[in-house]
Amino acid sequence: MPLTAARVWPGAGIALADGHYLVRWPLVAVLAGVPCFLVGVALGATHPGEVYSYSVLVIAVFGLIGQFGAAFGLWATTGYAFGDLVLHVPATVYVAEEERLRVVVLPMLLSYGVLALFTVVAPLTVLGVRMMVLGATWLPRPAVRWVECAAAVLTAGLAAYTWARTAPMLLRPIFVWSGSVPTVDAVAPLQQRAWLLVVVVGATAAARVLLDRWALTGRAATFSQILWAGLGVEVAKGPRSGALGLVLVLVGAIGATFLLAGLISGYVQATAVFLFFVSLLAVRRLLLVRAPQAVAVLMKVPFLIRLAAGVWVGYLVGKVVISYFWTRTETFLPVLASACAAIAVITLLTLPPPGNPYRELPRPRSRHGV
């Protein structure tokens, strides 16, 4: 399934493959998605308030599941969506039927996308950093195992903290699209207990590194290398061409605009944001297809340095934008503009390398190997 999905969208294939260390126990690997889905259903049906942000413990469970594999996080998020949509009784149950799509369903779908940033995208970010460490030829091999674990913990903790700080703004449509305002109970848990998510997710990321080393031996290690090689071939093909490439650009732009809906005021801003992301994804595609030499030069700079530079530049740009607009508007336009600028900088500085990015990953040599 991961390789099939990767032929359409490499990112989807990588997400579905994350957690394949369970192939060491074939029956567990086949059934692992079921309990993750059921946990998601239970949390979706029983969580307090209108959305999961009312309980940091609920979110911590999702973070724990996701760090053991993005595929498991996807199963849990899908289960939560089912439980929340079908079994949970929201406070807005008496909304008029003609308003239900706009006031209830679309904001709930948005909340699942925000949750997926934590359960799927964050684990994939940790996985990407780990692979960069494993492929770093400049690191002494005895140091790789320690650097990999430290990098996983730091990346997971930073991702959890960032998500906890941004999620309340992204979840605003749950309330404002129905004419209310976010309650203190919906915002305070993430603002006051973000440290709990950092600890849980960081510890789980470290446990995941150790679990990978223990499980990926023998036939499981061989399977892992073959799987990553196959995924690398799909990544090496670059952006999809023709109608599929256009569809992926449009879907990506629509998804990004939808996730930022909590910061958008009106259809004019929504259209502007959508066109911005279409342009950004088009430029990214153009660089990868038409300027591979320039991308190759950029790739000579280590990924972690490029990522740090992107975050720093994005922060500076955002600070300037917010300072300029803050007293000129009462909307979230300053935050929206700074978020778009930061996303653009990070996207262009972290382009994927040309060729197969997984071809040089070290093969686990033994149960106690790196």
Side-chain angles (χ1 to χ4, degrees):
M1 185 179 293
L3 291 177
T4 302
R7 294 188 182 99
V8 178
W9 180 23
I14 295 172
L16 292 175
D18 187 28
H20 70 270
Y21 58 85
L22 288 182
V23 296
R24 181 171 177 180
W25 308 280
L27 182 60
V28 176
V30 171
L31 300 178
V34 176
C36 295
F37 179 83
L38 293 178
V39 168
V41 171
L43 293 178
T46 60
H47 69 83
E50 293 90 341
V51 68
Y52 47 79
S53 64
Y54 279 81
S55 172
V56 72
L57 293 179
V58 169
I59 300 172
V61 171
F62 281 113
L64 186 149
I65 293 174
Q67 285 301 322
F68 277 114
F72 308 140
L74 181 60
W75 274 108
T77 303
T78 304
Y80 175 86
F82 177 82
D84 191 40
L85 277 172
V86 178
L87 304 177
H88 188 255
V89 181
T92 53
V93 69
Y94 298 112
V95 170
E97 191 62 32
E98 61 271 15
E99 290 290 315
R100 181 172 175 79
L101 176 63
R102 180 184 65 85
V103 173
V104 178
V105 177
L106 287 179
M108 292 169 74
L109 293 177
L110 170 62
S111 73
Y112 310 147
V114 174
L115 181 60
L117 293 177
F118 188 53
T119 61
V120 179
V121 177
L124 287 180
T125 302
V126 175
L127 178 65
V129 171
R130 288 178 56 196
M131 286 192 165
M132 293 295 173
V133 172
L134 290 175
T137 56
W138 51 272
L139 275 175
R141 300 319 301 172
V144 167
R145 62 191 299 119
W146 302 105
V147 176
E148 179 194 8
C149 191
V153 171
L154 291 175
T155 305
L158 179 60
Y161 182 81
T162 303
W163 184 88
R165 290 302 183 185
T166 57
M169 288 188 293
L170 299 181
L171 292 173
R172 289 182 71 250
I174 290 285
F175 304 94
V176 299
W177 287 5
S178 62
S180 60
V181 295
T183 64
V184 174
D185 291 338
V187 176
L190 286 175
Q191 291 183 335
Q192 298 174 358
R193 299 184 180 89
W195 61 268
L196 178 60
L197 297 182
V198 173
V199 171
V200 170
V201 169
T204 308
R208 165 68 189 279
V209 173
L210 299 178
L211 182 58
D212 276 347
R213 294 174 185 171
W214 179 60
L216 292 176
T217 60
R219 293 181 179 178
T222 302
F223 174 86
S224 178
Q225 290 292 321
I226 294 173
L227 177 60
W228 284 121
L231 291 172
V233 169
E234 297 302 324
V235 172
K237 294 178 181 178
R240 277 20 186 184
S241 58
L244 177 58
L246 177 60
V247 169
L248 291 177
V249 167
L250 293 177
V251 170
I254 292 172
T257 304
F258 188 49
L259 284 175
L260 293 178
L263 306 177
I264 295 175
S265 301
Y267 293 107
V268 174
Q269 283 189 14
T271 302
V273 172
F274 170 73
L275 294 176
F276 168 80
F277 281 112
V278 169
S279 302
L280 176 61
L281 294 175
V283 169
R284 179 183 182 274
R285 173 185 171 82
L286 184 64
L287 289 173
L288 292 173
V289 174
R290 301 293 184 183
Q293 295 84 2
V295 174
V297 172
L298 180 63
M299 293 306 105
K300 293 181 179 179
V301 180
F303 175 82
L304 293 180
I305 295 179
R306 287 185 282 121
L307 178 61
V311 172
W312 182 67
V313 173
Y315 168 77
L316 292 180
V317 172
K319 187 176 181 180
V320 171
V321 171
I322 290 177
S323 299
Y324 177 79
F325 281 107
W326 195 253
T327 59
R328 292 171 169 82
T329 179
E330 295 181 355
T331 68
F332 280 89
L333 179 60
V335 180
L336 176 63
S338 63
C340 290
I343 291 171
V345 171
I346 294 174
T347 297
L348 296 178
L349 285 181
T350 57
L351 294 171
N356 187 337
Y358 306 126
R359 67 185 184 277
E360 296 180 353
L361 285 180
R363 182 188 299 271
R365 295 185 296 272
S366 68
R367 175 168 300 195
H368 302 290
V370 173

